Amino acid sequence: MSGRRSLVWLGLTPEPERELPAAVAALRPRPADLSLAALTTAERRRVERLILRGTQRSWLGYLAEVTALVVDAAEADAPAGTDGSAAGNRPVGGAAPADPHAALVAGEVVLDHHRMLIGLPGAGYDRAAPQRQALERALLSLRNRADKGAAA
């Protein structure tokens, strides 16, 4: 193998770069003195740094963080028993619950990305299998709640 880093992972899809910064900013805990716009700008800069200077490993690490945020949003305020717990999770410190629309957007983008990893050389697809499964469960939960909310 040559000393050059592989860039094949950059060719998957532009959606994460476009869609994730705003969605992830809406899912992350936000200090009271920081606006959502500022958090979105910071998230966009982070994604740009990962794409311009990162590796496939660092990119997949970021997407693992996003997966955790989506799963947390799906489990937050879930009715007892629907997420496998005795009671729904609630944000700590009176923070507002995560935005379910942002969780749906982020989850769908990351799940689509992880499904496309099958076309790349290496073990990325296999390594992302647990995240794909977690995202599929989380998205099902979020969609079910959105459907129930629309019907109410």
Side-chain angles (χ1 to χ4, degrees):
M1 181 164 172
S2 74
R4 294 197 280 171
R5 72 181 184 131
S6 172
L7 301 177
V8 68
W9 62 277
L10 291 172
L12 278 179
T13 177
E15 280 77 16
E17 184 179 2
R18 281 195 309 246
E19 303 289 334
L20 288 180
V24 172
L27 294 173
R28 289 200 190 276
R30 182 168 29 119
D33 62 337
L34 192 61
S35 71
L36 182 57
L39 197 55
T40 300
T41 298
E43 201 67 37
R44 189 170 314 283
R45 284 189 193 125
R46 182 175 182 202
V47 168
E48 287 173 1
R49 272 193 313 275
L50 283 166
I51 290 170
L52 294 174
R53 295 184 194 93
T55 62
Q56 182 177 12
R57 181 178 296 259
S58 63
W59 177 245
L60 292 176
Y62 172 75
L63 295 180
E65 284 180 42
V66 176
T67 297
L69 290 169
V70 171
V71 169
D72 288 348
E75 292 175 350
D77 294 325
T82 60
D83 64 352
S85 67
N89 298 327
R90 300 225 182 260
V92 178
D99 177 353
H101 175 72
L104 277 167
V105 169
E108 288 170 352
V109 168
V110 175
L111 183 58
D112 287 347
H113 177 280
H114 282 357
R115 287 176 174 156
M116 286 188 268
L117 289 172
I118 198 167
L120 296 182
Y125 182 80
D126 291 334
R127 274 189 248 138
Q131 288 180 43
R132 280 193 309 277
Q133 293 168 355
L135 285 166
E136 287 166 352
R137 286 189 303 270
L139 288 171
L140 180 62
S141 174
L142 289 163
R143 286 184 193 119
N144 285 341
R145 265 191 270 152
D147 290 345
K148 288 178 186 173

